[in-house]
């Protein structure tokens, strides 16, 4: 009997596999609707819930709509969900070149860990740290478009297109690591790919509403609230443990969140009008890809120019294109598209310089892109420098400037905490070579985390486990942070006298000048750095309770340094490779040619002290540090300073040398002309004598 059952299951799986293959071959013929027109389709549509039932928006007990069941009726949701923005968790997806990671920031413990499912060098896989998909969604769902970690399995089979009949994808172990989280998934529902994050045409999609619903653990309700077609009352987060949504609720007992749809968007057939645009607007991209320079050297926001391409009227999607598979072109040199289609002309070099072959030659210079002549620039520069090295990001100055990003700092959401000190500390531009030795500008962040070290290998601990272990040892007050606690010192009268002098030290703080307050702050910073060793020693000692691996010991990494307890109350500081920063290449904002590096003259780079080689890159750490790890740009570029200085010195007299050479050549030319005239005269005389 069991063998017969197994045979039936095998036949069923073979049928599904054969059907899937047939569907792939015939994709676009009958499975999904299409207009094949350049005009926008008017989306008066029915909404469907997670169970694939048509929603009656006037029903007081109407459920939230499901993007899978609603959009998936006409569009290939399965193909879309494997696109670049959603497939990071898929082990079979192409990781591509390293990009911006998710940075887990915990201000209570001074933690900022770069995380990525893609296996990028110097990032950490959340699953290996015991961080489940549930935790990733709660931490970063504010800037996730749904799908990926938000889908722990394929929903039950329904009528949302034949793609819904594909074999179920089993939930990952990390997402189901505890029964409590598994139970919450069942109540919160899946966080499907929300098409409206990118395709809403009238800017009605609210990132704030999306964030708020995820924070309330109302995953299945997030799309309805964010699009603004309904209001949600109730929080899954407030429901008691063990709540079972399948059981009827008696009286005023706990209930699932209630959805109330907006009647103003309905027609007589109870269909909703969803204003959809095929090609996403720049505003949609900026939801997750905004950057902002901060700090004293950054200047006010209104003084910064936008990317030159966008100022010229282009859209992000003009270069970062995709088909229904949503494999968005990232646009870097050497990128290979999963479809096998050539995308050489969608990179800076391919579009402007016309590099490519075959059919690419017919589409170089897309949108009328000018071909730069680079007059006077030796070809060697184009071999050693990327386009972005001269044209992207802020101009290189004496020090790398701090930058905030949407993914790292939650830009786009209302907050009172967008100060330059907001963690994590990221700087740009940092010129570093790739595997071929070509220089690219990067953004850089220094990891900070508590971990274990064994055989000189460091592994981060789960942030929540660290918080539990260090809660009493660090004693971070409510409303404060780990960084503030570590920097906190009490100045004695003697300390004030050292900083301000005996007379001014007795002056009340309210009567001190701004300069004197700055002196006290600087003096306090020095004392905090001196007291850091004692505070960290206490914390590392307390952390031993969270270290379960035999032979491993607790450490703290921050600002490019490793803090290690060598004996009671004494901390040793080293700078091992495990503490090195994570860097990823930047492409935007692109500056126009007149603002590019070298546009003024060769002396932009080839002069003593030029920022391209001498700019300082200083580590940003959550703990006080009197001697932060600092590198000159040429060190990160892997260049020899002596040779650079010698070459720059030779440029000082370059103009004079040109005039001297021109004069010398003129003298030689005159001499040669004189002898030529004499020769001609001699030939003429010889002819006469003959």
């Amino acid at each position: 009997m069991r063998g017969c059952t197994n045979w039936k299951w095998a036949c069923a799986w073979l049928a599904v596999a054969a059907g899937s293959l047939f569907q792939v071959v015939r994709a676009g013929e009958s499975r999904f609707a299409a207009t094949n027109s350049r005009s926008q389709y008017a989306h008066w549509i029915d909404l469907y819930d997670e169970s694939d039932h048509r929603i009656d928006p006037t029903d007081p007990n109407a459920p939230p709509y499901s993007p899978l069941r609603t959009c998936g009726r006409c569009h290939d949701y399965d193909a879309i969900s494997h696109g670049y923005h959603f497939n990071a968790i898929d082990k079979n997806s192409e990781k591509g070149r390293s990009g911006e990671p998710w940075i887990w920031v915990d201000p209570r413990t001074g933690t900022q860990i770069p995380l990525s499912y893609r296996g990028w060098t110097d990032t950490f896989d959340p699953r290996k740290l015991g961080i489940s998909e549930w935790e990733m969604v709660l931490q970063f769902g504010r800037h996730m478009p749904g799908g990926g970690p938000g889908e722990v399995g394929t929903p039950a089979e329904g009528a949302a297109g034949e793609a819904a009949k594909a074999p179920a994808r089993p939930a990952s172990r990390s997402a189901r690591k505890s029964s409590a989280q598994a139970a919450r998934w069942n109540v919160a529902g899946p966080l499907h790919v929300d098409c409206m994050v990118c395709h809403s045409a009238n800017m009605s999609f609210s990132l704030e509403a999306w964030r708020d619903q995820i924070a309330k653990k109302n995953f299945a309700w997030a799309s309805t609230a964010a699009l603004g077609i309904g209001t949600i009352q109730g929080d899954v987060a407030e429901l008691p443990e063990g709540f079972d949504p399948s059981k009827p609720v008696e009286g005023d007992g706990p209930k699932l969140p209630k959805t109330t749809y907006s009647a103003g968007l309905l027609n007589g057939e109870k269909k909703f009008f969803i204003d959809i645009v095929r090609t996403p607007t720049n505003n949609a991209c900026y939801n997750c890809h905004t950057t902002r320079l901060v700090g004293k050297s950054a200047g006010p926001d209104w003084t910064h120019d936008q990317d030159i391409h966008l100022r010229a009227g282009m859209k992000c999607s003009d270069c970062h294109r995709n088909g229904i598979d949503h494999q968005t072109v990232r646009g870097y040199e050497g990128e290979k598209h999963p479809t096998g289609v050539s995308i050489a002309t969608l990179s800076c070099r391919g579009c402007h310089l016309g590099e490519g072959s075959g059919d690419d030659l017919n589409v170089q210079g897309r949108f009328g892109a000018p071909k730069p002549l680079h007059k006077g620039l030796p070809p060697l520069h184009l071999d050693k420098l990327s386009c972005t090295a001269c044209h992207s990001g802020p101009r290189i100055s004496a020090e790398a400037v701090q930058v905030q990003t949407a993914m790292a700092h939650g830009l786009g959401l209302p907050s009172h905490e967008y100060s330059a000190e907001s963690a994590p500390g990221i700087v740009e531009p940092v010129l570093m070579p790739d595997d071929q030795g070509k220089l690219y500008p990067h953004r850089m962040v220094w990891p900070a985390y508590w971990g274990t070290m064994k055989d000189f290998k460091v592994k981060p601990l789960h942030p929540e486990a660290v918080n539990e272990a260090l809660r009493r040892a660090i004693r971070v007050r409510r409303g404060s942070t780990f960084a503030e606690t570590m920097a906190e010192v009490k100045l004695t009268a003697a300390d004030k006298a050292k900083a301000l002098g005996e007379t001014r030290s007795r002056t009340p703080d309210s009567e001190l000048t701004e300069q004197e307050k700055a002196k006290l702050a600087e003096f306090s910073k020095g004392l905090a750095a001196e007291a850091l060793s004692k505070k960290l020693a206490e914390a590392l000692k307390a952390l031993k309770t969270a270290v379960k691996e035999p032979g491993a010991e607790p450490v703290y990494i921050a600002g490019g340094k490793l803090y290690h307890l060598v004996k009671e109350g004494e901390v040793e500081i080293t700078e091992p490779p495990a503490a090195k920063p994570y860097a990823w290449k930047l492409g935007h904002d692109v500056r126009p040619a007149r603002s590019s590096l070298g546009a003024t003259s060769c002396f932009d780079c080839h002069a003593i002290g030029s920022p391209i080689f001498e700019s300082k890159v200083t580590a940003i750490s959550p703990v006080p540090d009197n001697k932060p790890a600092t590198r000159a740009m040429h060190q990160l570029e892997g260049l020899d300073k002596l040779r650079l200085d010698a070459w720059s010195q030779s440029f000082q007299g370059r103009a004079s040398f040109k005039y001297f050479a021109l004069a010398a050549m003129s003298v030689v030319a005159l001499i040669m002309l004189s002898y030529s005239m004499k020769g001609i005269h001699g030939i003429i005389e010889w002819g006469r004598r003959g």
Side-chain angles (χ1 to χ4, degrees):
M1 190 70 178
R2 181 177 299 173
C4 182
T5 302
N6 290 341
W7 173 251
K8 289 181 179 179
W9 274 110
C11 291
W13 279 110
L14 286 173
V16 169
S20 299
L21 180 60
F22 179 73
Q23 291 164 6
V24 169
V25 173
R26 296 179 58 83
E29 294 183 9
S30 60
R31 284 176 60 197
F32 305 104
T35 65
N36 292 319
S37 171
R38 292 185 178 182
S39 65
Q40 295 292 151
Y41 179 76
H43 282 75
W44 285 98
I45 59 175
D46 291 316
L47 301 182
Y48 289 82
D49 64 15
E50 185 65 20
S51 299
D52 201 32
H53 296 137
R54 182 179 178 277
I55 296 173
D56 179 357
T58 62
D59 184 350
N61 296 314
Y65 95 94
S66 164
L68 165 64
R69 300 304 185 186
T70 302
C71 304
R73 302 186 78 78
C74 296
H75 304 286
D76 192 346
Y77 182 93
D78 190 60
I80 294 169
S81 66
H82 287 84
Y84 183 78
H85 284 87
F86 323 109
N87 69 3
I89 203 168
D90 183 358
K91 293 182 179 179
N92 297 319
S93 64
E94 292 291 332
K95 66 179 183 179
R97 85 174 186 185
S98 297
E100 181 175 3
W102 294 110
I103 304 177
W104 185 296
V105 175
D106 186 350
R108 302 168 300 175
T109 58
T111 295
Q112 49 188 54
I113 309 177
L115 304 173
S116 175
Y117 290 110
R118 298 189 186 276
W120 289 331
T121 303
D122 297 327
T123 64
F124 299 95
D125 190 322
R127 293 164 293 202
K128 293 182 179 179
L129 303 187
I131 298 175
S132 68
E133 282 89 342
W134 171 267
E135 293 168 307
M136 288 291 287
V137 170
L138 290 178
Q139 186 79 5
F140 303 113
R142 53 176 170 74
H143 279 87
M144 284 182 175
E151 292 181 322
V152 296
T154 300
E157 186 175 326
E162 296 178 28
K165 298 180 180 180
R169 291 171 287 185
S172 67
R173 292 181 179 179
S174 57
R176 300 289 187 174
K177 71 176 184 177
S178 70
S179 58
Q181 287 186 11
R184 279 302 175 187
W185 272 119
N186 292 332
V187 183
L191 189 69
H192 288 310
V193 173
D194 193 331
C195 308
M196 296 302 104
V197 172
C198 297
H199 295 284
S200 176
N202 58 5
M203 297 178 63
S204 63
F205 187 91
S206 170
L207 197 66
E208 182 180 4
W210 174 263
R211 183 271 313 268
D212 291 345
Q213 293 301 314
I214 291 174
K216 295 174 181 178
K217 302 178 182 176
N218 297 350
F219 296 172
W221 290 264
S223 295
T224 302
L227 189 56
I229 60 175
T231 58
I232 311 300
Q233 293 177 314
D235 304 352
V236 169
E238 298 298 325
L239 295 177
E241 295 293 334
F243 175 81
D244 188 349
S246 64
K247 293 182 179 179
V249 179
E250 298 180 1
D252 296 328
K255 300 175 183 175
L256 289 173
K258 181 180 179 181
T259 306
T260 303
Y261 286 98
S262 174
L265 299 174
L266 293 173
N267 66 6
E269 298 177 343
K270 296 184 180 180
K271 291 186 176 183
F272 264 95
F273 174 67
I274 310 295
D275 197 0
I276 293 174
V277 62
R278 178 186 292 110
T279 303
T281 63
N282 294 342
N283 183 74
C285 300
Y286 274 145
N287 274 336
C288 297
H289 297 290
T290 289
T291 59
R292 171 177 177 253
L293 297 179
V294 295
K296 294 180 180 178
S297 61
D301 289 345
W302 60 269
T303 63
H304 301 163
D305 295 331
Q306 200 176 26
D307 187 287
I308 185 61
H309 298 93
L310 302 186
R311 298 292 294 180
M314 292 180 65
K315 293 181 290 188
C316 305
S317 54
D318 287 336
C319 297
H320 301 288
R321 304 179 176 196
N322 62 265
I324 190 61
D325 56 12
H326 282 60
Q327 293 291 351
T328 305
V329 175
R330 297 177 66 189
Y332 58 84
E333 295 172 27
E335 180 182 7
K336 303 297 182 183
H337 201 262
T339 62
V341 175
S342 174
I343 55 173
T345 58
L346 291 176
S347 70
C348 305
R349 188 177 292 256
C351 187
H352 285 277
L353 293 180
E355 295 192 354
S357 61
D359 293 338
D360 296 334
L361 296 176
N362 298 323
V363 289
Q364 291 163 0
R366 290 177 182 269
F367 302 102
K371 184 172 183 177
L373 300 178
H374 292 114
K375 289 183 179 179
L377 188 71
L380 176 68
H381 289 72
L382 300 182
D383 295 332
K384 296 297 183 181
L385 294 169
S386 65
C387 302
T388 50
C390 298
H391 290 275
S392 293
R395 282 183 65 89
I396 301 176
S397 56
E399 292 187 16
V401 297
Q402 282 188 248
V403 62
Q404 293 178 342
T405 73
M407 287 174 57
H409 298 88
L411 303 183
L413 298 169
S415 174
H416 298 288
E417 300 177 358
Y418 288 137
S419 66
E421 290 73 33
S422 299
I426 303 174
V427 300
E428 72 172 28
V430 180
L431 284 182
M432 296 172 62
D434 65 358
D435 295 338
Q436 284 72 45
K438 183 177 291 186
L439 292 179
Y440 284 84
H442 292 71
R443 294 191 177 107
M444 181 175 283
V445 63
W446 285 263
Y449 58 85
W450 302 84
T452 60
M453 183 171 66
K454 183 178 181 181
D455 299 329
F456 301 102
K457 294 182 179 179
V458 181
K459 178 182 177 181
L461 290 169
H462 193 295
E464 288 301 325
V466 171
N467 183 55
E468 288 297 323
L470 298 184
R471 184 177 297 174
R472 294 183 179 179
I474 299 179
R475 298 184 182 278
V476 177
R477 296 189 301 273
R478 185 182 296 274
S480 185
T481 65
F482 173 82
E484 293 169 343
T485 302
M486 291 291 105
E488 192 176 72
V489 293
K490 292 183 179 180
L491 295 179
T492 64
D495 293 331
K496 289 185 177 181
K498 284 183 181 180
L500 304 177
E502 194 67 37
T503 304
R504 293 296 294 173
S505 66
R506 300 188 184 94
T507 306
D509 292 345
S510 59
E511 298 179 15
L512 293 175
T513 65
E514 291 300 320
Q515 186 177 8
E516 288 172 333
K517 290 178 181 179
K519 283 185 178 180
L520 281 180
E522 192 64 27
F523 192 82
S524 298
K525 187 176 179 181
L527 292 180
E530 294 175 6
L532 177 65
S533 180
K534 181 180 178 181
K535 293 180 179 179
L536 286 182
E538 294 175 357
L540 289 169
K541 182 179 178 181
L543 193 60
K544 287 185 176 181
T545 59
V547 178
K548 307 299 182 184
E549 186 179 1
E553 49 189 328
V555 296
Y556 180 58
I557 281 180
K561 299 180 180 181
L562 182 145
Y563 299 86
H564 173 216
L565 188 63
V566 289
K567 60 182 181 181
E568 191 70 25
E570 184 177 336
V571 173
E572 181 182 60
I573 304 175
T574 58
E575 296 186 24
K580 69 179 180 179
Y582 174 75
W584 66 99
K585 296 172 182 173
L586 65 90
H588 303 282
D589 287 337
V590 177
R591 304 190 305 276
R594 290 184 179 183
S595 300
S596 64
L597 193 62
T600 305
S601 71
C602 300
F603 292 106
D604 277 2
C605 301
H606 299 296
I608 298 295
S610 172
I612 190 175
F613 301 124
E614 298 297 336
S615 179
K616 301 297 181 184
V617 182
T618 303
I620 300 176
S621 174
V623 297
D625 194 344
N626 283 339
K627 297 180 180 179
T630 303
R631 298 288 184 273
M633 196 78 82
H634 66 80
Q635 293 175 298
L636 298 169
E637 292 165 342
L639 301 176
D640 181 74
K641 188 176 188 305
L642 183 62
R643 292 181 61 186
L644 290 172
D645 288 346
W647 183 252
S648 296
Q649 285 286 6
S650 70
F651 265 76
Q652 301 305 310
R654 190 169 182 236
S656 300
F657 177 78
K658 286 181 179 180
Y659 290 123
F660 173 77
L662 183 61
M665 291 172 64
S666 299
V667 171
V668 171
L670 288 173
I671 293 173
M672 293 180 66
L673 179 61
S674 174
Y675 277 96
S676 297
M677 294 301 293
K678 288 182 179 181
I680 293 172
H681 182 266
I683 293 172
I684 293 173
E685 288 296 323
W686 177 79
R688 287 177 179 176
R689 289 195 299 268

